[in-house]
Amino acid sequence: MPVLASHRKPRTKVRTTTPAVGLTTAALASVTLLSTQSATAAPAEPKPAVEEVQKKVDALYRQAGAATQEYNRAKAASASQQTKVDTLLSDVAKRTEKINEARRALGSYAAAQYRNGGIGPAATFFLAENPQGYFDQSRLMDRATERQQRSVTEFRTQQASAAKKRAEAVKSLETLTETQATLASSKKDVQTKLTEARGLLSRLTAEEKARLAELERKKEAEAKEKAAKLAARQAAEAKERAEAEEKAREEAAKESGDGSGTGSGTGTDPGSGTGSGTDSGYAAKAEKVLAFARAQIGKPYVWGASGPSSYDCSGLTQAAWREAGVTLPRTTWDQVEVGTRVATSDLKPGDLVFFYDDISHVGIYKGDGMMIHAPKPGANVREESIYYMPIYGSVRPA
């Protein structure tokens, strides 16, 4: 019996230790798997700095501005093309009616010939009761034949003309379809850029938003400082010009007083009079432009808008110069080609200042290095330094 008991004891130990080994193995496997997953998992993407967010948002707004100009161009082209298509379709309808009239005339001639039975002229002569009547009728028939021939010619002319106009209408419709597709694509592009910019801004914390606002204030302060320097330089140059003009007038008056009175002092400088007239004419227009622009301050920027309740940048400049009787094209890319190019140092109130290498923004110069413009989505029409953005160039529209 003791032998049997001794035999059972170790077997029991074997059964109790086996599960422990299995649990230990499973635990080790789990630890190994977790360690492997942790080692292979991609590290979390670091949150961009506020300065980086500012750069990205500014870039997105600028890209949206360029897409807005593309949208404006497509919209203007679409409207123009739609007018052309409507005119062509109306013309085709009128020509089709003329074709139908010519066709009816030819039909009446054909019916008359059918009723006549198609008898030849010789048989008609011999069967006629009155030969003289036959000759009279023959002359009438000749004239009728001439009318028929003219009707045939008119029919063919109208048919060819209508076919030509119809082909033009089809081509214009195809162009209109392409333009509308560009319009839709540009609209989608603008919306995509703006959504991305809003997404970046929405993920900022309150502290980061405060930091971003501080960066904007610093940028505005630097731009205003540059504007003040430009204003001081322009004022100094204007003073120098005024002093030079005054000195020239004094010298001219002195020479006139010292003259013998033989007529040498009766002449005036024709060039100065013409220049003054041109300057005053432009100044009068610029005053109307700026008065209109000032009245729009506080209204929201809306891409693709040209007033009266909201504007994008080129919509504002177009509407403002319209008040002065000057018609500007819709986009910044076309407005920059209008008028005379001027240097930044030679800017006058009313001039248009364009920004960025892609010419995607424009403002109206008001003097002292400042402008009135519709800045970007989420902002209102306001006054701002022209140095707030990189300047591309400037033009004097009239």
Side-chain angles (χ1 to χ4, degrees):
M1 292 301 294
V3 175
L4 289 175
S6 173
H7 176 71
R8 287 173 184 162
K9 190 174 181 180
R11 289 188 63 179
T12 302
K13 289 181 178 179
V14 170
R15 283 197 299 269
T16 57
T17 56
T18 301
V21 173
L23 288 171
T24 305
T25 304
L28 288 171
S30 299
V31 172
T32 303
L33 179 60
L34 289 172
S35 300
T36 304
Q37 289 177 342
S38 299
T40 57
E45 185 177 347
K47 190 173 183 179
V50 174
E51 291 80 2
E52 186 64 26
V53 171
Q54 183 189 41
K55 289 180 181 179
K56 287 183 179 179
V57 169
D58 287 347
L60 286 168
Y61 278 143
R62 182 162 55 84
Q63 292 165 15
T68 296
Q69 295 308 313
E70 189 64 48
Y71 172 86
N72 291 338
R73 174 179 285 179
K75 186 177 180 180
S78 179
S80 175
Q81 197 65 32
Q82 184 67 63
T83 301
K84 183 178 180 181
V85 167
D86 291 343
T87 302
L88 285 170
L89 290 177
S90 176
D91 195 1
V92 167
K94 291 177 182 178
R95 292 178 187 276
T96 300
E97 180 57 31
K98 288 183 178 181
I99 289 175
N100 292 335
E101 290 176 2
R103 185 180 284 113
R104 285 191 290 270
L106 291 176
S108 64
Y109 290 137
Q113 187 176 6
Y114 175 78
R115 287 193 299 271
N116 191 43
I119 301 174
T124 303
F125 173 76
F126 285 114
L127 293 174
E129 295 181 1
N130 183 358
Q132 182 60 44
Y134 165 77
F135 286 118
D136 293 340
Q137 185 180 8
S138 178
R139 283 194 294 271
L140 289 172
M141 290 301 295
D142 287 342
R143 286 197 291 273
T145 301
E146 291 175 3
R147 287 198 298 273
Q148 291 177 23
Q149 186 61 43
R150 285 197 299 272
S151 296
V152 170
T153 301
E154 177 67 15
F155 174 78
R156 289 175 178 171
T157 300
Q158 293 295 342
Q159 193 176 40
S161 180
K164 181 180 178 181
K165 289 295 180 182
R166 192 176 294 109
E168 289 181 17
V170 169
K171 186 175 181 180
S172 293
L173 280 170
E174 291 174 351
T175 302
L176 177 60
T177 301
E178 293 173 359
T179 302
Q180 289 174 337
T182 301
L183 187 65
S185 176
S186 299
K187 182 177 181 179
K188 183 178 180 181
D189 194 16
V190 173
Q191 292 172 334
T192 299
K193 300 296 183 186
L194 294 181
T195 299
E196 189 175 350
R198 293 189 192 105
L200 286 170
L201 293 173
S202 68
R203 289 192 288 272
L204 293 176
T205 64
E207 184 179 349
E208 288 171 333
K209 288 179 180 178
R211 170 63 179 158
L212 182 61
E214 178 61 29
L215 290 174
E216 286 292 329
R217 285 192 292 271
K218 182 179 178 182
K219 182 179 178 182
E220 289 173 4
E222 291 174 351
K224 285 181 180 179
E225 185 179 351
K226 289 182 179 179
K229 290 179 179 178
L230 174 62
R233 187 165 62 251
Q234 288 180 329
E237 291 173 354
K239 183 179 179 181
E240 289 177 2
R241 285 195 298 270
E243 290 175 351
E245 290 172 2
E246 179 63 25
K247 184 176 180 180
R249 282 193 295 269
E250 290 175 356
E251 291 178 353
K254 184 178 180 181
E255 291 177 1
S256 177
D258 293 341
S260 60
T262 59
S264 61
T266 60
T268 59
D269 181 5
S272 61
T274 303
S276 177
T278 301
D279 290 345
S280 62
Y282 183 76
K285 291 180 179 179
E287 186 176 347
K288 293 180 181 179
V289 170
L290 288 170
F292 178 87
R294 289 190 189 98
Q296 312 315 307
I297 291 176
K299 293 183 179 180
Y301 175 101
V302 175
W303 66 271
S306 55
S309 58
S310 58
Y311 298 88
D312 64 18
C313 64
S314 57
L316 176 63
T317 53
Q318 184 187 49
W321 268 99
R322 189 187 299 122
E323 287 295 304
V326 177
T327 301
L328 294 180
R330 181 63 180 89
T331 71
T332 55
W333 303 325
D334 295 323
Q335 289 180 7
V336 76
E337 300 296 333
V338 175
T340 306
R341 293 294 293 268
V342 292
T344 302
S345 59
D346 296 329
L347 283 170
K348 293 181 179 180
D351 291 348
L352 300 182
V353 186
F354 297 87
F355 302 90
Y356 302 113
D357 290 340
D358 57 2
I359 323 175
S360 56
H361 192 73
V362 62
I364 304 169
Y365 189 68
K366 67 174 288 290
D368 298 331
M370 303 294 286
M371 66 177 171
I372 300 174
H373 70 141
K376 59 186 177 182
N380 297 331
V381 176
R382 65 193 184 200
E383 293 185 6
E384 198 151 49
S385 167
I386 61 172
Y387 293 104
Y388 186 75
M389 294 167 282
I391 297 174
Y392 171 83
S394 307
V395 300
R396 191 158 296 149

Short mmCIF file of all heavy atoms in Angstrom, two decimals, residues 13-29:
data_model
loop_
_atom_site.label_atom_id
_atom_site.label_comp_id
_atom_site.label_asym_id
_atom_site.label_seq_id
_atom_site.Cartn_x
_atom_site.Cartn_y
_atom_site.Cartn_z
N LYS A 13 1.53 15.90 -8.74
CA LYS A 13 2.38 17.08 -8.94
C LYS A 13 2.52 17.43 -10.42
O LYS A 13 2.53 18.59 -10.80
CB LYS A 13 3.78 16.85 -8.35
CG LYS A 13 3.78 16.83 -6.82
CD LYS A 13 5.20 16.61 -6.32
CE LYS A 13 5.22 16.62 -4.80
NZ LYS A 13 6.56 16.38 -4.26
N VAL A 14 2.58 16.42 -11.23
CA VAL A 14 2.71 16.67 -12.68
C VAL A 14 1.48 17.39 -13.20
O VAL A 14 1.53 18.32 -13.96
CB VAL A 14 2.95 15.35 -13.44
CG1 VAL A 14 2.85 15.57 -14.93
CG2 VAL A 14 4.29 14.78 -13.05
N ARG A 15 0.31 16.94 -12.75
CA ARG A 15 -0.95 17.54 -13.21
C ARG A 15 -1.08 19.00 -12.74
O ARG A 15 -1.60 19.85 -13.42
CB ARG A 15 -2.14 16.72 -12.71
CG ARG A 15 -2.36 15.41 -13.50
CD ARG A 15 -3.73 14.87 -13.24
NE ARG A 15 -3.93 14.56 -11.82
CZ ARG A 15 -3.67 13.37 -11.29
NH1 ARG A 15 -3.18 12.38 -12.03
NH2 ARG A 15 -3.90 13.15 -9.99
N THR A 16 -0.58 19.32 -11.56
CA THR A 16 -0.72 20.69 -11.04
C THR A 16 0.29 21.66 -11.65
O THR A 16 0.04 22.84 -11.74
CB THR A 16 -0.56 20.69 -9.52
OG1 THR A 16 0.70 20.13 -9.20
CG2 THR A 16 -1.68 19.90 -8.86
N THR A 17 1.40 21.20 -12.07
CA THR A 17 2.42 22.11 -12.63
C THR A 17 2.22 22.37 -14.11
O THR A 17 2.65 23.38 -14.62
CB THR A 17 3.82 21.52 -12.43
OG1 THR A 17 3.88 20.23 -12.99
CG2 THR A 17 4.15 21.44 -10.94
N THR A 18 1.58 21.53 -14.83
CA THR A 18 1.43 21.70 -16.29
C THR A 18 0.63 22.96 -16.65
O THR A 18 1.04 23.75 -17.49
CB THR A 18 0.79 20.44 -16.91
OG1 THR A 18 1.63 19.34 -16.64
CG2 THR A 18 0.60 20.62 -18.40
N PRO A 19 -0.55 23.20 -16.02
CA PRO A 19 -1.29 24.42 -16.35
C PRO A 19 -0.50 25.68 -16.05
O PRO A 19 -0.61 26.66 -16.75
CB PRO A 19 -2.52 24.34 -15.46
CG PRO A 19 -2.69 22.88 -15.18
CD PRO A 19 -1.30 22.36 -15.09
N ALA A 20 0.29 25.66 -14.99
CA ALA A 20 1.09 26.84 -14.65
C ALA A 20 2.07 27.18 -15.75
O ALA A 20 2.28 28.33 -16.11
CB ALA A 20 1.85 26.59 -13.34
N VAL A 21 2.67 26.13 -16.30
CA VAL A 21 3.60 26.36 -17.43
C VAL A 21 2.85 26.95 -18.60
O VAL A 21 3.30 27.86 -19.28
CB VAL A 21 4.30 25.04 -17.82
CG1 VAL A 21 5.12 25.24 -19.09
CG2 VAL A 21 5.18 24.57 -16.67
N GLY A 22 1.66 26.48 -18.90
CA GLY A 22 0.86 26.99 -20.02
C GLY A 22 0.49 28.44 -19.82
O GLY A 22 0.56 29.25 -20.74
N LEU A 23 0.08 28.83 -18.63
CA LEU A 23 -0.28 30.22 -18.36
C LEU A 23 0.92 31.15 -18.52
O LEU A 23 0.84 32.23 -19.07
CB LEU A 23 -0.84 30.35 -16.94
CG LEU A 23 -2.25 29.76 -16.73
CD1 LEU A 23 -2.60 29.74 -15.25
CD2 LEU A 23 -3.26 30.59 -17.52
N THR A 24 2.05 30.68 -18.03
CA THR A 24 3.27 31.49 -18.15
C THR A 24 3.64 31.72 -19.60
O THR A 24 4.00 32.82 -20.01
CB THR A 24 4.44 30.80 -17.42
OG1 THR A 24 4.04 30.56 -16.07
CG2 THR A 24 5.68 31.67 -17.44
N THR A 25 3.51 30.70 -20.40
CA THR A 25 3.83 30.80 -21.83
C THR A 25 2.89 31.78 -22.53
O THR A 25 3.30 32.62 -23.34
CB THR A 25 3.71 29.41 -22.51
OG1 THR A 25 4.56 28.52 -21.81
CG2 THR A 25 4.10 29.50 -23.97
N ALA A 26 1.58 31.69 -22.19
CA ALA A 26 0.59 32.59 -22.81
C ALA A 26 0.87 34.04 -22.42
O ALA A 26 0.78 34.97 -23.24
CB ALA A 26 -0.82 32.20 -22.38
N ALA A 27 1.20 34.24 -21.15
CA ALA A 27 1.49 35.60 -20.69
C ALA A 27 2.70 36.18 -21.40
O ALA A 27 2.71 37.34 -21.81
CB ALA A 27 1.73 35.57 -19.17
N LEU A 28 3.72 35.35 -21.54
CA LEU A 28 4.93 35.81 -22.25
C LEU A 28 4.61 36.15 -23.70
O LEU A 28 5.11 37.13 -24.25
CB LEU A 28 6.01 34.73 -22.18
CG LEU A 28 6.68 34.54 -20.81
CD1 LEU A 28 7.58 33.30 -20.84
CD2 LEU A 28 7.48 35.77 -20.42
N ALA A 29 3.78 35.31 -24.31
CA ALA A 29 3.41 35.56 -25.71
C ALA A 29 2.65 36.88 -25.83
O ALA A 29 2.85 37.66 -26.77
CB ALA A 29 2.56 34.40 -26.24
#
